[in-house]
Amino acid sequence: QVELVESGGGSVQTGGSLRLSCAISKNSGCMYDMFWYRETPGKQREFVSVIEIDGATRYADFVKGRFTISQDNNNYTVYLEMSSLKPEDTAIYYCRAEMKRGGWTLCGGGRWGQGIQVTVSS
C-alpha cells in the first residue's frame, strides 16, 4: 500500500509561483506512476501532470511551459513546480499514485492524497 501527503500551496498573486510536494510512504518493491490532478467545485477533477516509473513526464495543455513535475527518489517525494500562475489555476490539487510494479496485495492499485488548496488572486 501507499500513503500520500501533500504540502505547500497557499495564496499568490497572478504571475506568482508555488511548489507543491507529495510525500510518499510505501513498501519497498512497489513502483508507482505519480500524478497531479486538480479540482474546482462544480468541475470534475482534471489531469495536470504525471511522472512515470521510467522518468517520462506528461502535462495537460493548459499547464505546459508553466508547471514542472519532478521527484526526489532519496526522500520519496514528488514535486509540482508552478510558475506564471493564473486565477484559473485556483483549485484543490491532488497527488495520486498508480501501481505499476509489485502486485495488488503488497502495493494496492492506486491512492489519492487529501488535496491541498492553491489560490491565485488577480
Side-chain angles (χ1 to χ4, degrees):
Q1 294 290 341
V2 58
E3 301 293 336
L4 309 173
V5 179
E6 299 99 333
S7 62
S11 298
V12 298
Q13 297 292 321
T14 297
S17 300
L18 288 171
R19 184 172 77 165
L20 305 183
S21 299
C22 177
I24 305 164
S25 299
K26 68 180 185 71
N27 291 308
S28 62
C30 300
M31 299 181 67
Y32 302 85
D33 288 349
M34 299 300 304
F35 294 76
W36 288 98
Y37 284 75
R38 70 188 189 186
E39 182 177 307
T40 301
K43 189 175 183 179
Q44 63 186 6
R45 192 170 297 182
E46 62 184 356
F47 167 82
V48 174
S49 186
V50 59
I51 184 164
E52 299 175 353
I53 59 174
D54 64 357
T57 59
R58 188 169 70 254
Y59 298 90
D61 287 342
F62 54 80
V63 303
K64 284 182 178 178
R66 300 190 298 121
F67 291 10
T68 301
I69 190 169
S70 63
Q71 62 185 359
D72 182 342
N73 295 119
N74 292 327
N75 296 119
Y76 302 105
T77 303
V78 174
Y79 301 97
L80 186 68
E81 293 275 0
M82 304 182 292
S83 63
S84 301
L85 283 162
K86 308 172 182 179
E88 52 263 46
D89 295 319
T90 296
I92 299 173
Y93 284 72
Y94 295 87
C95 184
R96 176 172 173 81
E98 293 189 2
M99 186 273 292
K100 295 301 177 184
R101 297 287 189 274
W104 181 272
T105 300
L106 179 65
C107 306
R111 185 69 64 94
W112 293 100
Q114 302 96 328
I116 189 163
Q117 180 70 48
V118 170
T119 302
V120 185
S121 301
S122 300

